[in-house]
């Protein structure tokens, strides 16, 4: 890439940052905070407990202040080991960490979608439109009430991008990077969204394998290897969470009425 091209790509990233900053300027300037629904009743308290523990050089395996004690790390949704959460928990007040988390990951998702579309040979303008459409979509913005969900979705375009590069170039580095992305998604604290993302990426990879150029055997290894390797990266979180699930009220499954609760009607 030429210097002029690099400057143009950096300018696109800046445009995305300005667009997201303009939308959430109050939170970024700490004149307001995201404090609704799941943030209020779960994410903020959990992350505050974690931040307090980490600043006291204690790992938050257990918190005695929730009910009669609660396995905070095993619960998983707080994303204790997710790198961004670790750093911001140590450096920032919880409300500021949450605000910057949401804004940063909306920007990250925009950049990832832009990069993926550029890899599909889109020009800068439509790729920019696609990136902003993804990062500032109603689907993601309304999920600000679940920061861990936004975190997972922000990495999804990068997973698609790396699978595309792996299939095109047949290089293992992209496989390892894609597995790292899957690991980050599971560590971010929303397994459901991570499974959605991996499932979508596998379907895309399957389509790419059947219709595009590249070595079929290598692509097949990528499709099956990336989810397994990614789960291995996040095993330190997934295994305690799986153990907790077996001890929870949902260990024997849920009834149909609860399973379809809040679903859209068929029509």
């Amino acid at each position: 890439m030429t210097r002029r091209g690099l400057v143009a790509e950096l300018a696109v990233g800046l445009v995305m940052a300005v667009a997201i900053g303009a939308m959430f300027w109050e939170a970024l300037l700490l004149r307001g905070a995201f404090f609704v629904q799941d943030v209020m009743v779960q994410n903020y308290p959990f992350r505050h407990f974690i931040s307090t523990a980490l600043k006291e050089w204690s790992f938050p395996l257990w918190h005695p202040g929730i009910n009669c004690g609660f396995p905070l790390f095993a619960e998983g949704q707080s994303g204790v080991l997710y790198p961004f959460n670790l750093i911001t928990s140590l450096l920032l007040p919880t409300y500021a960490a949450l605000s910057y988390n949401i804004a940063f990951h909306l920007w990250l998702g925009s950049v990832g979608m832009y990069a993926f579309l550029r890899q599909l040979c889109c020009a800068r303008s439509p790729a920019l439109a696609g990136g902003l459409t993804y990062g500032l979509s109603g689907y993601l913005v309304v999920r600000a009430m679940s920061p861990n969900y936004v975190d997972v979705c922000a990495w999804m375009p990068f997973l698609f991008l790396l699978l595309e590069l792996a299939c095109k170039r047949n290089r293992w580095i992209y496989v390892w990077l894609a597995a790292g992305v899957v690991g980050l998604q599971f560590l971010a604290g929303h397994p459901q969204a991570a499974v959605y993302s991996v499932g979508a990426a596998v379907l895309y990879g399957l389509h790419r394998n059947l219709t595009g150029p590249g070595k079929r055997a290598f692509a097949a290894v990528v499709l099956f290897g990336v989810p397994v390797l990614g789960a291995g990266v996040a095993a330190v979180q997934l295994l305690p969470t799986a153990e907790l699930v077996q001890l929870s009220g949902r260990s024997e499954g849920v009834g149909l009425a609860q399973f379809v609760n809040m679903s859209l009607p068929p029509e």
Side-chain angles (χ1 to χ4, degrees):
M1 181 182 295
T2 65
R3 180 179 296 181
R4 183 176 179 180
L6 178 60
V7 170
E9 300 293 7
L10 292 174
V12 169
L14 180 61
V15 168
M16 293 177 177
V18 169
I20 291 168
M23 189 165 186
F24 300 111
W25 67 271
E26 289 181 300
L28 292 175
L29 295 179
L30 303 183
R31 295 178 60 181
F34 297 97
F35 202 66
V36 62
Q37 294 186 354
D38 287 8
V39 172
M40 178 174 61
V41 301
Q42 183 182 59
N43 294 106
Y44 183 91
F46 281 8
R47 297 191 187 208
H48 177 69
F49 295 149
I50 289 168
S51 177
T52 301
L54 291 176
K55 290 173 181 176
E56 295 174 352
W57 300 100
S58 172
F59 195 77
L61 291 171
W62 182 266
H63 196 279
I66 304 175
N67 296 326
C68 295
F70 187 77
L72 188 57
F73 171 70
E75 197 275 344
Q77 291 188 73
S78 48
V80 178
L81 296 179
Y82 183 59
F84 189 92
N85 292 345
L86 272 175
I87 294 170
T88 55
S89 293
L90 289 168
L91 298 179
L92 297 170
T94 303
Y95 77 95
L98 277 168
S99 294
Y100 291 140
N101 178 297
I102 292 166
F104 170 76
H105 283 88
L106 291 176
W107 174 80
L108 184 68
S110 299
V111 170
M113 182 58 73
Y114 171 82
F116 175 56
L117 293 173
R118 289 287 285 160
Q119 184 60 38
L120 296 182
C121 300
C122 286
R124 285 195 181 92
S125 294
L128 172 60
L132 287 175
T133 299
Y134 181 75
L136 291 177
S137 63
Y139 182 75
L140 282 188
V141 171
V142 75
R143 285 289 182 171
M145 65 180 183
S146 301
N148 45 348
Y149 196 100
V150 175
D151 295 354
V152 174
C153 291
W155 287 105
M156 185 165 68
F158 290 99
L159 182 55
F160 277 64
L161 170 64
L162 291 167
L163 287 177
E164 177 70 19
L165 289 170
C167 291
K168 275 185 178 177
R169 302 181 183 180
N170 299 314
R171 293 183 60 186
W172 285 103
I173 183 63
Y174 300 115
V175 177
W176 297 114
L177 289 173
V181 167
V182 172
L184 285 173
Q185 288 181 304
F186 279 116
L187 290 176
H190 206 294
Q192 182 182 12
V195 170
Y196 288 163
S197 175
V198 171
V202 168
L203 289 175
Y204 174 76
L206 182 62
H207 165 75
R208 177 66 177 72
N209 185 22
L210 295 175
T211 62
K215 297 180 180 179
R216 297 291 186 264
F218 181 83
V221 171
V222 170
L223 288 179
F224 291 103
V226 166
V228 173
L229 291 170
V233 170
V236 66
Q237 176 66 74
L238 293 179
L239 292 177
T241 301
E243 182 181 9
L244 178 61
V245 168
Q246 298 306 310
L247 300 173
S248 75
R250 296 188 178 187
S251 60
E252 297 179 359
V254 298
L256 179 62
Q258 184 176 355
F259 184 77
V260 300
N261 187 33
M262 296 191 294
S263 297
L264 290 172
E267 63 273 13

